[in-house]
Amino acid sequence: MINLVKFDAFAGGIEIGGLRNMLEIKILICYILKSVKTPMKRNQICDSLQKTGLVNFFDANSAIDELLENGTICEQEYVGEPHLVVSPTGGNSALALENTLLPGVRDKAVKAALNIVSRARSERENKVKIEKLENGCNVTFEIQSLGETMLSLTLNVADVLQAEQLKDGFLDDPGALYSDIIDRLIGEK
């Protein structure tokens, strides 16, 4: 059997099984935008592809430029900043061509993109304030819903490094902190 796939993308920074064909990279970007159903910033798409080892930074940006140029994806304002969305034509093409990509590649990329979008939403909707003290730091977490503060919690920690670790853990899943506190207070844990 003859392999007809043209390798026209850089291999640097790509793990085994990653994409080295620009057409496949473009299809994957459209598929991600269609599947996530939330506008994404350029850097969010690139980060999700890089974190998975599927596409390197340069090829992801090049593919995005080409997709923007031909109207397959377009830029629109979302939460006050420019974000990318797939055009109807691009979405239909991605769905029609999705079988050219391995299911593991599609799933891995969409999962990474969803995690990045979820994290960005957590950062917009919740607040973390780190206050340096003479001995350590205070870290204040705020969970908000519909403009109301549902939880405000301040912890004292040893240093900024620990404060940043707590901030990252909180922003990964703010609801877990809220649920755990409620469960502990009502005696379910």
Side-chain angles (χ1 to χ4, degrees), residues 176-189:
L177 175 65
Y178 186 79
S179 295
D180 287 349
I181 289 173
I182 296 294
D183 287 347
R184 293 235 180 242
L185 292 174
I186 61 174
E188 291 195 12
K189 278 195 177 183

Side-chain angles (χ1 to χ4, degrees), residues 25-33 45 49 60 63-64 67 73:
I25 294 168
K26 291 176 200 174
I27 292 168
L28 183 59
I29 290 168
C30 291
Y31 185 80
I32 288 169
L33 287 170
I45 294 170
L49 293 172
I64 290 170
L67 291 167
I73 64 174

